Amino acid sequence: MGHIMQFATVQALQLAPFFISLVLYFSLVRKDPEGELWTTVLKCLPIVALMFYVLIKGFSLNKQFRRSQLILLGLVFSCGGDALLNVNLFPFGMISFGVAHIFYINAFGWHPLKWIIGVCLYVPVIIFVVFVRKYLDEILVIGVPIYCVLIITMLWRALARAVDTKSYLASFCALGAVLFVISDALIAVTMFLSVELPSPRLQIMITYYAAQFAIALSTADDGPLQPCKNKDK
């Protein structure tokens, strides 16, 4: 029990910059001003803090930390996507997030396949893409379906990993993947379908940051001899 408490305390200290950056963002950025450098920096700061966490919690370039390496790259491209979206470059931001999902997919792995989960996820996504297609311009009519496939594949692989490993961190990561999809779905309905939501920025960003937090935290047991892997402690 002592080792578990010590491990949790260390994790909390390492994640402190993330929580501080969240407070700064939500307290200082009152609306959604696009194209301003200071809001772009504050928007990206929580993701940079999560990148910092992945590096300091235990990281190496060897194969034992492959999941950490891939998730770190996913966070880098997510940060790029945040910056691009904030300066009103939506198609390029979507591409950057698409690349991030490719890294997350590979981090979660393809074994076991759990194809039934995939089928259950792809069917509603196909219906959604067909429905919103008429609202998309020439670039997004190609980009949105591709992005939807990538993010749903990311969710599929996160859920499959959680079902297979049955670990707390994997389950928490799967919840993060669900929140990521919810965050992007909120963007889609407000942007493409003109649905008016109460405080849409808050809903989108809270679910987004929670998603990235859960995904980054899933690297806590990456590498050899992590404390949370030892069942006897």
Side-chain angles (χ1 to χ4, degrees):
M1 180 63 70
H3 290 282
I4 294 175
M5 291 299 296
Q6 182 182 7
F7 179 73
T9 301
V10 170
Q11 295 294 306
L13 290 174
Q14 292 171 341
L15 286 163
F18 170 73
F19 295 115
I20 293 171
S21 63
L22 280 185
V23 172
L24 289 174
Y25 174 77
F26 285 111
S27 61
L28 297 178
V29 182
R30 298 293 184 177
K31 51 182 182 177
D32 224 356
E34 296 177 343
E36 297 184 19
L37 178 60
W38 73 275
T39 61
T40 302
V41 171
L42 286 179
K43 185 179 182 181
C44 294
L45 201 56
I47 305 304
V48 173
L50 290 177
M51 292 161 55
F52 176 71
Y53 164 76
V54 173
L55 288 171
I56 66 170
K57 56 83 190 169
F59 185 86
S60 175
L61 295 179
N62 62 43
K63 63 181 181 181
Q64 293 176 316
F65 289 89
R66 182 175 181 273
R67 183 152 43 90
S68 291
Q69 296 160 15
L70 292 169
I71 287 179
L72 177 63
L73 289 170
L75 289 169
V76 169
F77 279 92
S78 294
C79 188
D82 283 331
L84 290 166
L85 292 181
N86 210 59
V87 296
N88 205 26
L89 293 174
F90 184 84
F92 296 101
M94 186 173 62
I95 291 172
S96 190
F97 273 111
V99 175
H101 290 313
I102 291 174
F103 283 117
Y104 288 156
I105 290 165
N106 284 280
F108 303 150
W110 289 97
H111 302 287
L113 193 60
K114 303 289 183 183
W115 62 269
I116 294 179
I117 296 176
V119 171
C120 293
L121 293 173
Y122 285 126
V123 170
V125 168
I126 292 172
I127 295 172
F128 171 78
V129 170
V130 171
F131 179 73
V132 302
R133 184 180 177 86
K134 60 184 177 182
Y135 299 100
L136 306 177
D137 60 25
E138 294 180 355
I139 297 177
L140 295 181
V141 76
I142 298 174
V144 168
I146 294 174
Y147 180 81
C148 286
V149 169
L150 289 174
I151 191 171
I152 289 302
T153 302
M154 184 274 294
L155 175 58
W156 170 28
R157 300 321 308 152
L159 291 173
R161 178 171 173 267
V163 170
D164 180 55
T165 63
K166 297 180 176 62
S167 76
Y168 169 76
L169 288 175
S171 298
F172 193 56
C173 181
L175 175 60
V178 171
L179 291 173
F180 213 134
V181 172
I182 291 173
S183 178
D184 281 5
L186 292 172
I187 294 175
V189 298
T190 55
M191 183 174 182
F192 304 138
L193 304 180
S194 300
V195 175
E196 294 186 6
L197 299 173
S199 303
R201 182 184 69 87
L202 285 178
Q203 294 188 53
I204 291 167
M205 297 310 297
I206 288 173
T207 50
Y208 169 69
Y209 286 135
Q212 295 282 31
F213 167 73
I215 291 172
L217 188 62
S218 72
T219 65
D221 64 348
D222 201 22
L225 302 176
Q226 293 292 337
C228 61
K229 285 184 177 181
N230 192 330
K231 297 180 180 179
D232 297 328
K233 296 182 179 181

